[in-house]
Amino acid sequence: MVVYWIYLTGFILALGLSLFLTRWLRSKAVRLGLIDQPRGARHLHTGPIATIGGQAILVAIFFTLLAILGLARAAGIEITGVRTIVPILCGALAMNLLGTLDDLRDSSPRTKLVA
C-alpha cells in the first residue's frame, strides 16, 4: 500500500529546508569570505557566488530521507530499498566534498578527473 502523504511531506520538507539553508549558508559564506569571483572564460557566473551552497542541498536531502524513514516507521509502513540508498548517499557526500574542495582550492582538471 502506497501512502502518498509521506512523499508529499518529504517534498515540502526538502523544499523548505533547501530554501532556508541555501539562504542561511549564503549569508555565512559572504561573512566568512567563501565567495568565488568570476575569473576568465571557465566561470559561467558573472558575479560573486557562494562556494558552499551544495552543502545546504545535501543536508536537506539527508534530513528529509531520515524524516521520511522515521514517519514511515511510526506509521507502520515498511520502505524497501533502504540499503540501496546508503551507497548512493555516500557517493553524493564524496562528490559534494570534492566539489567543495575544488571550489576552495581550484583543483587542476587532472585532479578532478582522478577524483
Side-chain angles (χ1 to χ4, degrees):
M1 180 173 135
V2 177
V3 182
Y4 293 106
W5 65 267
I6 291 178
Y7 298 119
L8 181 61
T9 303
F11 172 75
I12 293 170
L13 181 62
L15 180 65
L17 276 173
S18 296
L19 290 173
F20 170 76
L21 290 173
T22 302
R23 289 179 183 266
W24 182 72
L25 275 178
R26 186 181 334 154
S27 68
K28 296 292 182 194
V30 169
R31 269 189 252 148
L32 295 173
L34 299 173
I35 301 293
D36 186 30
Q37 300 290 338
R39 310 177 299 274
R42 286 190 55 205
H43 289 90
L44 299 176
H45 54 278
T46 57
I49 190 166
T51 59
I52 57 173
Q55 279 71 14
I57 305 301
L58 188 68
V59 168
I61 290 170
F62 273 89
F63 188 77
T64 300
L65 284 173
L66 288 175
I68 287 173
L69 292 173
L71 285 171
R73 177 173 279 177
I77 301 166
E78 182 181 343
I79 296 182
T80 59
V82 174
R83 292 180 192 257
T84 306
I85 295 172
V86 173
I88 294 170
L89 292 178
C90 289
L93 178 63
M95 289 178 66
N96 185 277
L97 292 174
L98 289 171
T100 302
L101 288 175
D102 175 51
D103 286 344
L104 297 175
R105 295 186 178 193
D106 282 334
S107 303
S108 70
R110 182 180 217 172
T111 303
K112 292 178 201 178
L113 182 63
V114 170

Short mmCIF file of all heavy atoms in Angstrom, two decimals, residues 40-88:
data_model
loop_
_atom_site.label_atom_id
_atom_site.label_comp_id
_atom_site.label_asym_id
_atom_site.label_seq_id
_atom_site.Cartn_x
_atom_site.Cartn_y
_atom_site.Cartn_z
N GLY A 40 37.81 34.74 -15.82
CA GLY A 40 38.08 34.08 -17.09
C GLY A 40 36.88 33.35 -17.67
O GLY A 40 35.77 33.38 -17.16
N ALA A 41 37.15 32.65 -18.76
CA ALA A 41 36.10 32.01 -19.54
C ALA A 41 35.54 30.76 -18.89
O ALA A 41 34.44 30.33 -19.21
CB ALA A 41 36.64 31.67 -20.92
N ARG A 42 36.28 30.13 -17.97
CA ARG A 42 35.81 28.88 -17.36
C ARG A 42 34.66 29.10 -16.38
O ARG A 42 33.92 28.19 -16.07
CB ARG A 42 36.95 28.19 -16.62
CG ARG A 42 37.93 27.55 -17.57
CD ARG A 42 38.91 26.67 -16.86
NE ARG A 42 38.23 25.68 -16.06
CZ ARG A 42 38.76 25.10 -15.00
NH1 ARG A 42 39.97 25.42 -14.62
NH2 ARG A 42 38.10 24.19 -14.32
N HIS A 43 34.53 30.30 -15.87
CA HIS A 43 33.46 30.58 -14.90
C HIS A 43 32.22 31.06 -15.64
O HIS A 43 32.27 32.00 -16.41
CB HIS A 43 33.92 31.63 -13.89
CG HIS A 43 34.95 31.10 -12.93
ND1 HIS A 43 36.29 31.16 -13.19
CD2 HIS A 43 34.81 30.49 -11.74
CE1 HIS A 43 36.95 30.62 -12.19
NE2 HIS A 43 36.07 30.19 -11.29
N LEU A 44 31.11 30.39 -15.39
CA LEU A 44 29.87 30.73 -16.07
C LEU A 44 29.12 31.87 -15.39
O LEU A 44 28.32 32.54 -16.02
CB LEU A 44 28.96 29.50 -16.16
CG LEU A 44 29.54 28.32 -16.93
CD1 LEU A 44 28.59 27.14 -16.87
CD2 LEU A 44 29.79 28.71 -18.38
N HIS A 45 29.36 32.08 -14.09
CA HIS A 45 28.64 33.14 -13.39
C HIS A 45 29.31 34.48 -13.64
O HIS A 45 30.51 34.57 -13.88
CB HIS A 45 28.55 32.83 -11.89
CG HIS A 45 29.86 32.56 -11.22
ND1 HIS A 45 30.47 31.34 -11.27
CD2 HIS A 45 30.66 33.36 -10.49
CE1 HIS A 45 31.60 31.38 -10.60
NE2 HIS A 45 31.74 32.60 -10.12
N THR A 46 28.50 35.54 -13.61
CA THR A 46 29.01 36.88 -13.91
C THR A 46 29.29 37.69 -12.65
O THR A 46 29.97 38.70 -12.72
CB THR A 46 28.00 37.65 -14.78
OG1 THR A 46 26.75 37.69 -14.10
CG2 THR A 46 27.84 36.97 -16.14
N GLY A 47 28.78 37.25 -11.53
CA GLY A 47 29.01 37.96 -10.27
C GLY A 47 29.52 37.00 -9.21
O GLY A 47 29.61 35.79 -9.43
N PRO A 48 29.85 37.53 -8.03
CA PRO A 48 30.33 36.66 -6.94
C PRO A 48 29.25 35.66 -6.53
O PRO A 48 28.07 35.97 -6.54
CB PRO A 48 30.63 37.62 -5.80
CG PRO A 48 30.38 38.98 -6.30
CD PRO A 48 29.80 38.92 -7.65
N ILE A 49 29.68 34.44 -6.20
CA ILE A 49 28.75 33.39 -5.82
C ILE A 49 29.34 32.60 -4.66
O ILE A 49 30.54 32.37 -4.60
CB ILE A 49 28.43 32.48 -7.03
CG1 ILE A 49 27.28 31.55 -6.72
CG2 ILE A 49 29.64 31.72 -7.48
CD1 ILE A 49 26.69 30.89 -7.95
N ALA A 50 28.48 32.19 -3.73
CA ALA A 50 28.93 31.42 -2.57
C ALA A 50 29.40 30.04 -3.01
O ALA A 50 28.81 29.43 -3.90
CB ALA A 50 27.80 31.29 -1.56
N THR A 51 30.46 29.55 -2.38
CA THR A 51 31.02 28.26 -2.77
C THR A 51 30.45 27.09 -1.97
O THR A 51 30.75 25.95 -2.29
CB THR A 51 32.54 28.26 -2.57
OG1 THR A 51 32.83 28.53 -1.21
CG2 THR A 51 33.21 29.28 -3.47
N ILE A 52 29.66 27.34 -0.96
CA ILE A 52 29.19 26.25 -0.10
C ILE A 52 27.69 26.00 -0.21
O ILE A 52 27.09 25.43 0.68
CB ILE A 52 29.59 26.50 1.37
CG1 ILE A 52 29.04 27.83 1.87
CG2 ILE A 52 31.09 26.42 1.55
CD1 ILE A 52 29.25 28.07 3.35
N GLY A 53 27.09 26.38 -1.31
CA GLY A 53 25.65 26.18 -1.49
C GLY A 53 25.24 24.72 -1.61
O GLY A 53 24.14 24.33 -1.23
N GLY A 54 26.13 23.88 -2.10
CA GLY A 54 25.82 22.47 -2.24
C GLY A 54 25.60 21.77 -0.91
O GLY A 54 24.85 20.80 -0.82
N GLN A 55 26.24 22.27 0.14
CA GLN A 55 26.05 21.68 1.46
C GLN A 55 24.62 21.83 1.93
O GLN A 55 24.09 20.94 2.60
CB GLN A 55 27.02 22.30 2.49
CG GLN A 55 28.40 21.73 2.45
CD GLN A 55 29.17 22.16 1.21
OE1 GLN A 55 28.79 23.06 0.50
NE2 GLN A 55 30.26 21.47 0.95
N ALA A 56 23.99 22.93 1.60
CA ALA A 56 22.60 23.15 2.00
C ALA A 56 21.69 22.10 1.37
O ALA A 56 20.82 21.53 2.04
CB ALA A 56 22.14 24.55 1.60
N ILE A 57 21.90 21.84 0.10
CA ILE A 57 21.09 20.84 -0.59
C ILE A 57 21.35 19.45 -0.03
O ILE A 57 20.42 18.67 0.21
CB ILE A 57 21.39 20.87 -2.11
CG1 ILE A 57 21.20 22.28 -2.68
CG2 ILE A 57 20.54 19.85 -2.85
CD1 ILE A 57 19.82 22.86 -2.50
N LEU A 58 22.62 19.13 0.22
CA LEU A 58 22.97 17.81 0.76
C LEU A 58 22.35 17.59 2.13
O LEU A 58 21.78 16.54 2.40
CB LEU A 58 24.49 17.65 0.82
CG LEU A 58 24.98 16.27 1.18
CD1 LEU A 58 24.68 15.28 0.06
CD2 LEU A 58 26.47 16.30 1.45
N VAL A 59 22.43 18.58 3.00
CA VAL A 59 21.84 18.46 4.34
C VAL A 59 20.32 18.31 4.23
O VAL A 59 19.72 17.49 4.95
CB VAL A 59 22.21 19.68 5.22
CG1 VAL A 59 21.39 19.73 6.49
CG2 VAL A 59 23.69 19.64 5.56
N ALA A 60 19.69 19.05 3.34
CA ALA A 60 18.24 18.94 3.16
C ALA A 60 17.86 17.54 2.69
O ALA A 60 16.87 16.97 3.17
CB ALA A 60 17.75 19.99 2.16
N ILE A 61 18.64 16.96 1.78
CA ILE A 61 18.35 15.61 1.30
C ILE A 61 18.50 14.59 2.42
O ILE A 61 17.63 13.75 2.63
CB ILE A 61 19.27 15.26 0.10
CG1 ILE A 61 18.87 16.07 -1.13
CG2 ILE A 61 19.22 13.76 -0.20
CD1 ILE A 61 19.86 15.98 -2.26
N PHE A 62 19.61 14.66 3.15
CA PHE A 62 19.84 13.71 4.24
C PHE A 62 18.75 13.80 5.30
O PHE A 62 18.20 12.79 5.74
CB PHE A 62 21.21 13.95 4.88
CG PHE A 62 22.34 13.23 4.21
CD1 PHE A 62 23.02 13.80 3.16
CD2 PHE A 62 22.72 11.97 4.63
CE1 PHE A 62 24.06 13.15 2.54
CE2 PHE A 62 23.77 11.30 4.01
CZ PHE A 62 24.44 11.89 2.97
N PHE A 63 18.44 15.02 5.72
CA PHE A 63 17.44 15.21 6.77
C PHE A 63 16.06 14.75 6.30
O PHE A 63 15.32 14.12 7.05
CB PHE A 63 17.39 16.67 7.21
CG PHE A 63 16.51 16.90 8.41
CD1 PHE A 63 16.94 16.57 9.67
CD2 PHE A 63 15.24 17.41 8.25
CE1 PHE A 63 16.12 16.76 10.77
CE2 PHE A 63 14.41 17.61 9.33
CZ PHE A 63 14.86 17.28 10.60
N THR A 64 15.72 15.05 5.06
CA THR A 64 14.42 14.64 4.52
C THR A 64 14.31 13.11 4.45
O THR A 64 13.27 12.55 4.81
CB THR A 64 14.19 15.25 3.13
OG1 THR A 64 14.23 16.68 3.25
CG2 THR A 64 12.86 14.83 2.55
N LEU A 65 15.36 12.45 4.00
CA LEU A 65 15.33 10.99 3.96
C LEU A 65 15.17 10.39 5.35
O LEU A 65 14.40 9.45 5.55
CB LEU A 65 16.58 10.45 3.28
CG LEU A 65 16.60 10.58 1.77
CD1 LEU A 65 17.96 10.17 1.22
CD2 LEU A 65 15.50 9.77 1.13
N LEU A 66 15.88 10.94 6.32
CA LEU A 66 15.73 10.45 7.70
C LEU A 66 14.31 10.69 8.21
O LEU A 66 13.74 9.83 8.88
CB LEU A 66 16.74 11.13 8.62
CG LEU A 66 18.19 10.70 8.45
CD1 LEU A 66 19.10 11.55 9.33
CD2 LEU A 66 18.35 9.23 8.77
N ALA A 67 13.75 11.84 7.89
CA ALA A 67 12.39 12.15 8.34
C ALA A 67 11.37 11.21 7.68
O ALA A 67 10.44 10.73 8.34
CB ALA A 67 12.05 13.61 8.02
N ILE A 68 11.54 10.94 6.39
CA ILE A 68 10.62 10.03 5.70
C ILE A 68 10.70 8.63 6.30
O ILE A 68 9.67 7.99 6.54
CB ILE A 68 10.91 10.00 4.19
CG1 ILE A 68 10.46 11.30 3.54
CG2 ILE A 68 10.24 8.82 3.51
CD1 ILE A 68 10.86 11.44 2.09
N LEU A 69 11.92 8.17 6.55
CA LEU A 69 12.07 6.85 7.15
C LEU A 69 11.45 6.80 8.55
O LEU A 69 10.82 5.81 8.92
CB LEU A 69 13.55 6.45 7.21
CG LEU A 69 14.21 6.18 5.86
CD1 LEU A 69 15.70 5.97 6.03
CD2 LEU A 69 13.57 5.00 5.17
N GLY A 70 11.63 7.87 9.31
CA GLY A 70 11.02 7.93 10.65
C GLY A 70 9.50 7.97 10.60
O GLY A 70 8.83 7.29 11.38
N LEU A 71 8.95 8.76 9.68
CA LEU A 71 7.50 8.83 9.54
C LEU A 71 6.92 7.49 9.10
O LEU A 71 5.88 7.05 9.59
CB LEU A 71 7.12 9.91 8.51
CG LEU A 71 7.23 11.36 8.96
CD1 LEU A 71 7.04 12.29 7.77
CD2 LEU A 71 6.23 11.66 10.05
N ALA A 72 7.60 6.84 8.18
CA ALA A 72 7.12 5.54 7.70
C ALA A 72 7.15 4.51 8.82
O ALA A 72 6.20 3.75 8.99
CB ALA A 72 7.97 5.07 6.52
N ARG A 73 8.22 4.51 9.58
CA ARG A 73 8.32 3.57 10.70
C ARG A 73 7.24 3.84 11.73
O ARG A 73 6.62 2.91 12.25
CB ARG A 73 9.70 3.65 11.34
CG ARG A 73 9.83 2.73 12.55
CD ARG A 73 11.21 2.70 13.07
NE ARG A 73 11.96 1.77 12.22
CZ ARG A 73 13.24 1.53 12.35
NH1 ARG A 73 13.92 2.16 13.27
NH2 ARG A 73 13.84 0.66 11.57
N ALA A 74 6.99 5.13 12.03
CA ALA A 74 5.96 5.48 13.01
C ALA A 74 4.57 5.08 12.52
O ALA A 74 3.70 4.73 13.32
CB ALA A 74 6.00 6.98 13.30
N ALA A 75 4.36 5.13 11.20
CA ALA A 75 3.06 4.76 10.64
C ALA A 75 2.95 3.26 10.39
O ALA A 75 1.92 2.79 9.91
CB ALA A 75 2.84 5.52 9.33
N GLY A 76 4.02 2.52 10.68
CA GLY A 76 3.99 1.08 10.48
C GLY A 76 4.15 0.66 9.03
O GLY A 76 3.73 -0.42 8.63
N ILE A 77 4.76 1.52 8.22
CA ILE A 77 4.95 1.24 6.80
C ILE A 77 6.41 0.85 6.58
O ILE A 77 7.33 1.53 7.02
CB ILE A 77 4.62 2.48 5.95
CG1 ILE A 77 3.17 2.89 6.19
CG2 ILE A 77 4.89 2.22 4.48
CD1 ILE A 77 2.85 4.25 5.66
N GLU A 78 6.61 -0.26 5.89
CA GLU A 78 7.96 -0.71 5.59
C GLU A 78 8.39 -0.15 4.25
O GLU A 78 7.70 -0.34 3.24
CB GLU A 78 8.02 -2.23 5.57
CG GLU A 78 9.41 -2.75 5.31
CD GLU A 78 9.46 -4.27 5.27
OE1 GLU A 78 8.52 -4.91 5.75
OE2 GLU A 78 10.45 -4.78 4.74
N ILE A 79 9.49 0.55 4.24
CA ILE A 79 10.02 1.09 2.99
C ILE A 79 11.16 0.18 2.55
O ILE A 79 12.13 -0.01 3.27
CB ILE A 79 10.51 2.54 3.16
CG1 ILE A 79 9.34 3.45 3.50
CG2 ILE A 79 11.23 3.01 1.91
CD1 ILE A 79 9.68 4.89 3.64
N THR A 80 11.02 -0.39 1.38
CA THR A 80 12.05 -1.29 0.86
C THR A 80 13.10 -0.50 0.09
O THR A 80 12.84 0.62 -0.36
CB THR A 80 11.43 -2.35 -0.06
OG1 THR A 80 10.76 -1.69 -1.14
CG2 THR A 80 10.43 -3.22 0.70
N GLY A 81 14.25 -1.06 -0.04
CA GLY A 81 15.30 -0.41 -0.82
C GLY A 81 16.16 0.55 -0.04
O GLY A 81 16.94 1.30 -0.62
N VAL A 82 16.04 0.55 1.29
CA VAL A 82 16.84 1.48 2.09
C VAL A 82 18.33 1.18 1.95
O VAL A 82 19.15 2.08 1.88
CB VAL A 82 16.40 1.44 3.57
CG1 VAL A 82 17.30 2.29 4.43
CG2 VAL A 82 14.96 1.90 3.71
N ARG A 83 18.66 -0.09 1.86
CA ARG A 83 20.07 -0.47 1.70
C ARG A 83 20.64 0.01 0.37
O ARG A 83 21.83 0.19 0.23
CB ARG A 83 20.23 -1.97 1.83
CG ARG A 83 19.97 -2.46 3.22
CD ARG A 83 20.16 -3.98 3.29
NE ARG A 83 19.64 -4.49 4.53
CZ ARG A 83 20.41 -4.84 5.55
NH1 ARG A 83 21.71 -4.73 5.46
NH2 ARG A 83 19.88 -5.32 6.65
N THR A 84 19.79 0.24 -0.59
CA THR A 84 20.24 0.75 -1.89
C THR A 84 20.56 2.24 -1.80
O THR A 84 21.43 2.74 -2.51
CB THR A 84 19.13 0.53 -2.94
OG1 THR A 84 18.77 -0.84 -2.94
CG2 THR A 84 19.59 0.93 -4.32
N ILE A 85 19.88 2.94 -0.92
CA ILE A 85 20.05 4.38 -0.80
C ILE A 85 21.39 4.73 -0.17
O ILE A 85 22.02 5.73 -0.54
CB ILE A 85 18.90 5.01 0.02
CG1 ILE A 85 17.59 4.83 -0.73
CG2 ILE A 85 19.16 6.47 0.30
CD1 ILE A 85 16.38 5.24 0.08
N VAL A 86 21.87 3.92 0.76
CA VAL A 86 23.08 4.25 1.51
C VAL A 86 24.30 4.44 0.61
O VAL A 86 24.99 5.47 0.74
CB VAL A 86 23.34 3.19 2.61
CG1 VAL A 86 24.67 3.41 3.28
CG2 VAL A 86 22.21 3.21 3.63
N PRO A 87 24.61 3.54 -0.32
CA PRO A 87 25.78 3.79 -1.18
C PRO A 87 25.61 5.04 -2.06
O PRO A 87 26.57 5.75 -2.32
CB PRO A 87 25.87 2.54 -2.06
CG PRO A 87 25.05 1.52 -1.40
CD PRO A 87 24.04 2.23 -0.56
N ILE A 88 24.39 5.31 -2.48
CA ILE A 88 24.13 6.50 -3.29
C ILE A 88 24.40 7.76 -2.47
O ILE A 88 25.03 8.71 -2.94
CB ILE A 88 22.69 6.49 -3.84
CG1 ILE A 88 22.54 5.33 -4.83
CG2 ILE A 88 22.34 7.82 -4.50
CD1 ILE A 88 21.11 5.07 -5.26
#
